[in-house]
Amino acid sequence: MPLLRRRHRELRDGIVAGRGEAVARQHRLGKRTARERLGLLLDEGSFTEIEMYRRRRGQDPAGRDDRPYTDGVVAGSGTVDGRRVFVYAQDFTVFGGSLGEAHAAKIHKVMDLALATGSPLIALNDSGGARIQEGVTALDGYGGIFRRNVAASGVIPQISVVLGPCAGGAAYSPALTDFTFMVRDTAQMYLTGPDVVAAVSGRRVTHAELGGAEVHGGSSGVATFVHDDEESCFDDLRYLLSLLPSNNLDLPPAGPSRGATEDLRPRLAEIVPVEPNRPYDMGEVIAELVDDGEYLEIGEGWAKNVVCALARLDGRVVGLVGNQPRTLAGALDSAASQKAARFVRFCDAFGIPLVTLVDVPGFLPGVDQEHSGIIRHGAKLLYAYCEATVPRIQVILRKAYGGAYIVMDSRSIGTDVSLAWPTNEIAVMGAEGAVNVIHRRELAAAEDPVALRAELVREYTERLVHPHYAAERGLVDDVIDPVETRAVVARWLAALEDKRAAQPQRKHGNIPL
């Protein structure tokens, strides 16, 4: 018995230690091993592994009998700040982390356990892709992962972390999950690699130019978070988890009340200029509204004309969506509409109340936008808000023009409470543009068109764009002093805490994808 136990312990220790040269090569690439990454992510001593001794079956087609234990993926369960998660980490030191039948079966099992227990799922991706030697069984393994990603969507939070290559079909799993982290210099994600691109198009690109972290964080929007190193990446991942419920039946983890219902913020009256065309940073407004000024921005590098963030307000987790006047004057375009729509749907799926901060001049005009389908993309955001049943609060800070006003969670599409600052301008368009359309002939015939235009703009503003116009018609519930915004929103979040909304009987709607 002692001999068997010793042999078992030696085998186990050898598996954990890994192949010496392969581990050294991973370190030379500036990357940690799968087990080192799990040590960074999870609470110390909390990881419980499954199927450590799993190996692929038989020889490969070339007749080789290389069958290392784990088959290139470390999977199991652990805790993050005491909360249960399930996780798998692809091991690039074993077959380049490539996915074969046994490898996929382990991932399937851990995904099934996460869904069965209602626990978040975290995938650490570092893989050369499908294991070519195993043929179609590798593709079947990917299909099983994708099917489980979809089954778990909206039920448990799913988070992908790309720490090395993630190529071909493998890239679809991060695209199906709720959040994707990438690390600069080491992470790449693409469907077809540089060689294929060169063969098809004649254009030579590097791995980073084709699918690096900067590309997906700033251009494609596939990466939600981009980090310089693995340590900061895992720090932010842990912070994100602290703001999320374990599943769609749990409440988001609440902190202690911060007395926000009586908290006045004088700086809010200073941040936002009265002049509708002067820019400012919506992030500064958010920082004044949330507890301790701390918030986690989602997709910070992509579609910067809209800000999406998770934070706590009086201890409650909230999702914030706000137009960003520093970029494109805060106008909505195709990318911003997609970004905000996905965030709204995530918050709704997991019971996170929504606070929408409005300062929008409209949808971005232009031939490129129309040809790229801004109508369809804008409809995604409209659909997301209309479908959402969580508590919804709209705050109109300044201008809210045209269809963009409607789309930014207006009363007409179902927001629970609409608040406005005295600086609000809610209209089909700005007064200058409206006068140019309505009084085109009078202005053309006037002896002094400049003076006439100024007079007509003043009249139009006083009649249709004054701060209480929408409130007088029940489209705004209250016009509030900016300094009271944190307090008023906190009160309404408390009042709406027990909101229940029934959905129509149907299989599902047909969102304009």
Side-chain angles (χ1 to χ4, degrees):
M1 188 66 174
L3 177 61
L4 293 176
R5 291 176 61 194
R6 186 174 71 252
R7 288 177 175 172
H8 169 69
R9 187 166 58 251
E10 289 172 352
L11 173 62
R12 191 179 187 91
D13 290 346
I15 295 170
V16 171
R19 301 178 179 186
E21 177 52 35
V23 170
R25 186 166 57 250
Q26 183 82 341
H27 289 162
R28 286 196 297 272
L29 292 172
K31 301 193 295 183
R32 287 178 169 77
T33 66
R35 296 183 187 279
E36 289 169 343
R37 289 163 173 166
L38 291 172
L40 271 181
L41 170 63
L42 302 172
D43 296 339
E44 186 175 357
S46 70
F47 182 58
T48 302
E49 189 170 348
I50 62 169
E51 297 197 1
M52 174 187 285
Y53 307 104
R54 188 73 178 249
R55 305 164 78 185
R56 66 181 179 84
R57 295 185 289 183
Q59 298 176 334
D60 66 21
R64 291 187 295 266
D65 193 29
D66 186 14
R67 299 190 302 130
Y69 292 102
T70 74
D71 202 58
V73 63
V74 182
S77 177
T79 61
V80 174
D81 294 328
R83 296 175 61 205
R84 178 64 51 194
V85 299
F86 282 80
V87 61
Y88 66 86
Q90 291 180 312
D91 186 352
F92 199 79
T93 69
V94 177
F95 295 149
S98 61
L99 184 138
E101 181 186 23
H103 183 119
K106 292 177 66 173
I107 294 175
H108 296 169
K109 178 176 286 189
V110 83
M111 294 178 78
D112 290 341
L113 290 172
L115 188 58
T117 59
S119 305
L121 175 72
I122 303 169
L124 307 185
N125 297 272
D126 188 0
S127 168
R131 195 173 300 165
I132 298 171
Q133 297 89 334
E134 296 194 25
V136 71
T137 57
L139 301 179
D140 179 68
Y142 275 128
I145 293 172
F146 305 155
R147 177 166 56 85
R148 286 168 173 83
N149 283 139
V150 173
S153 182
V155 182
I156 57 173
Q158 299 181 84
I159 301 169
S160 295
V161 187
V162 183
L163 300 160
C166 184
Y172 281 118
S173 184
L176 288 168
T177 58
D178 299 305
F179 303 98
T180 299
F181 290 75
M182 292 186 74
V183 175
R184 289 184 179 90
D185 300 328
T186 58
Q188 307 110 34
M189 185 163 44
Y190 39 69
L191 293 180
T192 55
D195 292 341
V196 176
V197 171
V200 172
S201 69
R203 181 183 176 187
R204 289 284 175 184
V205 292
T206 66
H207 291 278
E209 290 170 339
L210 182 62
E214 295 293 348
V215 170
H216 290 306
S219 299
S220 74
V222 173
T224 324
F225 303 98
V226 174
H227 289 278
D228 291 328
D229 51 60
E230 296 185 10
E231 293 92 340
S232 61
C233 175
F234 288 125
D235 283 345
D236 256 14
L237 199 163
R238 291 172 68 95
Y239 180 38
L240 172 63
L241 284 169
S242 75
L243 296 168
L244 304 181
S246 293
N247 55 68
N248 65 326
L249 299 180
D250 284 356
L251 294 173
S257 174
R258 307 299 296 272
T261 56
E262 304 299 328
D263 190 355
L264 302 183
R265 295 297 176 98
R267 190 162 180 272
L268 284 173
E270 304 169 0
I271 295 172
V272 181
V274 174
E275 299 85 356
N277 296 324
R278 282 185 59 194
Y280 62 93
D281 184 0
M282 183 61 78
E284 294 185 31
V285 175
I286 293 174
E288 288 295 318
L289 293 179
V290 302
D291 296 348
D292 301 320
E294 294 182 358
Y295 62 91
L296 181 62
E297 187 168 350
I298 308 300
E300 181 178 2
W302 180 56
K304 296 181 179 181
N305 42 324
V306 70
V307 179
C308 300
L310 290 168
R312 284 189 171 84
L313 204 164
D314 208 23
R316 294 181 178 85
V317 175
V318 296
L320 299 112
V321 180
N323 308 109
Q324 177 55 282
R326 291 200 311 178
T327 303
L328 300 177
L332 289 173
D333 62 358
S334 295
S337 299
Q338 294 176 74
K339 173 181 171 179
R342 183 166 172 81
F343 180 70
V344 167
R345 285 173 66 83
F346 173 82
C347 290
D348 187 53
F350 290 99
I352 299 173
L354 287 160
V355 178
T356 303
L357 306 172
V358 184
D359 191 347
V360 62
F363 281 93
L364 187 67
V367 174
D368 290 344
Q369 285 294 309
E370 297 294 345
H371 288 187
S372 71
I374 192 170
I375 296 171
R376 176 167 47 87
H377 296 308
K380 293 176 185 178
L381 181 54
L382 181 63
Y383 193 107
Y385 270 124
C386 288
E387 189 181 47
T389 60
V390 292
R392 291 154 53 187
I393 300 171
Q394 179 197 48
V395 185
I396 302 168
L397 278 58
R398 207 167 51 168
K399 56 190 177 295
Y401 296 156
Y405 153 69
I406 301 171
V407 169
M408 290 297 290
D409 205 20
S410 64
R411 167 53 61 80
S412 57
I413 66 169
T415 197
D416 296 301
V417 177
S418 178
L419 308 170
W421 287 7
T423 46
N424 81 80
E425 292 183 5
I426 307 172
V428 175
M429 63 178 68
E432 289 275 357
V435 165
N436 288 337
V437 172
I438 298 170
H439 301 285
R440 181 176 63 255
R441 292 180 180 175
E442 296 97 311
L443 290 169
E447 292 184 5
D448 188 350
V450 174
L452 178 59
R453 180 181 288 106
E455 176 62 22
L456 292 172
V457 165
R458 185 187 62 78
E459 290 178 0
Y460 182 88
T461 301
E462 290 179 354
R463 185 164 54 90
L464 294 174
V465 194
H466 64 78
H468 295 86
Y469 185 85
E472 290 170 2
R473 285 150 183 81
L475 299 176
V476 165
D477 293 291
D478 197 5
V479 178
I480 62 172
D481 190 318
V483 304
E484 299 175 336
T485 307
R486 173 171 158 84
V488 175
V489 171
R491 290 176 205 149
W492 275 115
L493 286 171
L496 296 168
E497 189 171 26
D498 296 323
K499 176 188 175 184
R500 299 290 182 270
Q503 290 284 56
Q505 185 72 27
R506 60 181 175 181
K507 186 175 182 180
H508 57 71
N510 187 19
I511 187 170
L513 298 172

